[in-house]
Amino acid sequence: MADEFAKGLGIATTAGLAWMVLSGWYTTPGFEETQLLGEIPGGLDMYGNLAIMLREVFFWFAILAMLFFWVLIPGMRQLRQARS
């Protein structure tokens, strides 16, 4: 059980950090304004668009990995133990 928790926490930490870095670079117009959740700037080049896409991928990867490792796998194990 601790194995799944560590995997979920590691993925969430790494993906969350990557999301925060990319959000800080691209969607933080200033420290006095909305930070990390500001508007996506227009006129980005290919690498900027790739970074915005990766930002969304990292966010959902962190959420789904936590759900998978912390809820689904332990739930399936308990269900399997209850059946036998």
Side-chain angles (χ1 to χ4, degrees):
M1 191 73 133
D3 206 25
E4 283 82 19
F5 180 78
K7 289 176 189 174
L9 184 63
I11 290 172
T13 302
T14 306
L17 177 64
W19 179 86
M20 285 179 23
V21 167
L22 291 172
S23 294
W25 285 345
Y26 288 98
T27 58
T28 300
F31 290 109
E32 295 82 23
E33 301 170 29
T34 302
Q35 295 182 9
L36 301 179
L37 298 174
E39 219 174 290
I40 296 172
L44 294 173
D45 59 351
M46 183 183 73
Y47 294 114
N49 286 326
L50 180 64
I52 295 299
M53 184 188 71
L54 279 175
R55 176 181 171 256
E56 296 298 318
V57 167
F58 283 133
F59 175 78
W60 287 109
F61 183 58
I63 298 295
L64 293 176
M66 285 188 294
L67 179 68
F68 184 74
F69 283 110
W70 292 353
V71 177
L72 294 179
I73 290 178
M76 289 187 311
R77 283 189 179 170
Q78 288 211 352
L79 190 68
R80 192 178 316 140
Q81 284 178 354
R83 293 176 110 196
S84 57

